[in-house]
């Protein structure tokens, strides 16, 4: 059986240092669970921080790049997939993650959460404002959206969701 | 010079009858301005209603389908583009519209608004709640998001935005 | 009923002047039949020449661009679809054409013919060498590949194929 | 530094048993070199055989699926990327492989070789006829296409190409 893939989505160049700290801790926690980390792959913001966190904890990291080459990939990405699709790759991030965690707020992240929920994937919101929670609870099917206060909480929710949605 | 392309995005099977009435009127207004209408192309909801409105007013309608065939296209679509990308085609909707109007609320629409703003495209919100307005005003660059109360207002805004962003 | 869409695929910057002359005549002939012309949309080679031919004959032209903006579109394209997919848009060219005509030889064209045949679309080879004919006759289902010596012949074949495959 | 990714492309349901034997041996050889194997990910033909070969040799396998779920992935794929792009994912196979090996003949494989060469990626033809060799030598830049008689030869060529194109 394949190892679960957990997506961590968040701002790139627009990420705050708080977003990046959360992402690093989250990436580490995901790796310690033995899950594969999937991000948007670029060498900036949440993608980079989560990948570095997972790498530091000995995990395996996949990056789904918007670019057509791997030149801009984070050094902490093990498997760099060059899609050449620009933000069109956000749909692949959504479809390829067993569970998706949004870490911080941005337009790309918003599109990824929306696409994941539309595809029936469970999403955990970490470090997102109350407006995101309200909006997505209103738009999504019951049980697909949940919120976490810390990376540790997020990981507990992911574990439950993996059990419920994939390994039931 | 090419005719402007105005995208109308909104829920498919989840659309309310109010969404569809707005979309029909909006499609008609777009066609009367001589603009090309672009939608997600399916035979349901806002996509279908906007296309029927534009068709009724003698306009030209383009549908960017998620499917790999044109079997599920609205009858009111003149140019049916079969992408086979699923919701990955939402990015093409965003990139190919000179201005995008969101008409009603849904997860696909949310992703399209987010992707359009990320690509620097102006977006008009019609029939969207105050939470969408707040969220997008917070996330987007100044001047890219505006709100309209009626299809007529939306068309006036689109005219201004086309002038400012494309035909300046 | 929608007007048929006929795709004309061929080299861009690598096109010969013979390729472009064939493409211009083919675009004109397609427009005179009342069919919509679909190309890869760029302002060079076969895409540009076919679009100019169709435009000169009063036709409607669609360009499926690899780029994320329409800046590089041929002036003779009426409906410019900015996909941002790079050569990933070749699959959309294949799926959106009711019949596809290959006009000249190149790697992109080769991929488009292969993808069209894989999707069950009929293809007419015009100005392609005997090696292309042999290769595709060997790989494709009976009846999907045919060859034409002139743009006029190509149009006659397209008319037959449209009748057989779409409007039977 | 990331481990090299070697793509193995070949027919799915249309593969011959000879294609699959070559693919299994090739996948094993790739894994023994410490390279990551990338295929189209489905549970049939060359994709499946190469992945099983790599798995048997202790390698890491990535599958870039055309589907929007991982239900149809080969059991021997470790990292299953669900693109939902249909054959549009062939471009991702081409862009994400440092070197691509074509193993057997089919329309999808043909498109992948063409897209890889167009993107400037080196391709090794294994188990392809003389017509493929002639065609691609004619269309591609010098040095990008080479041919191998056995999986072992293919691996030697891949090693040289990786050195020349990526790790020079």
């Amino acid at each position: 059986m394949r190892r679960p893939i957990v997506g961590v989505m968040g701002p790139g160049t627009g990420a705050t240092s708080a977003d990046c700290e959360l992402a690093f801790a989250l990436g580490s926690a995901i790796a310690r669970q033995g899950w594969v980390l999937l991000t948007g792959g670029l060498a900036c913001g949440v993608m980079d921080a989560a990948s570095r966190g997972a790498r530091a904890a000995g995990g395996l990291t996949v990056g789904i790049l918007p670019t057509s080459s791997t030149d801009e990939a984070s050094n902490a990405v093990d498997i760099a997939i060059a899609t050449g699709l620009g933000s069109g790759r956000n749909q692949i991030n959504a479809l390829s993650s067993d569970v998706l965690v949004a870490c911080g707020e941005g337009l790309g992240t918003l599109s990824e959460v929306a696409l994941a929920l539309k595809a029936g994937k469970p999403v955990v919101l970490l470090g997102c404002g109350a407006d995101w929670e309200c909006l997505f609870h209103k738009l999504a099917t019951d049980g697909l959206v949940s919120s976490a206060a810390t990376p540790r909480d997020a990981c507990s929710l992911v574990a439950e969701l993996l059990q419920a949605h994939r390994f039931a």
Side-chain angles (χ1 to χ4, degrees), chain A residues 41-115:
Chain A
L42 293 171
C44 59
V46 163
M47 302 173 260
D48 184 54
S51 300
R52 286 188 294 105
R55 168 72 62 85
L60 181 66
T61 57
V62 176
I64 309 291
L65 292 158
T67 49
S68 56
S69 90
T70 58
D71 294 349
E72 297 174 49
S74 164
N75 285 331
V77 164
D78 295 313
I79 309 286
I81 303 298
T83 69
L85 302 177
S87 294
R89 69 81 152 83
N90 295 7
Q91 166 77 342
I92 301 182
N93 292 346
L95 294 177
S96 299
S97 300
D98 292 306
V99 177
L100 193 140
V101 185
C103 182
E105 300 182 353
L107 288 165
T109 312
L110 189 68
S111 74
E112 287 158 329
V113 173
L115 291 167

Side-chain angles (χ1 to χ4, degrees), chain A residues 14 17 32 34 78 92 110 132 160:
Chain A
S17 56
R32 282 192 301 268
D78 295 313
I92 301 182
L110 189 68
W132 281 47
E160 288 172 26

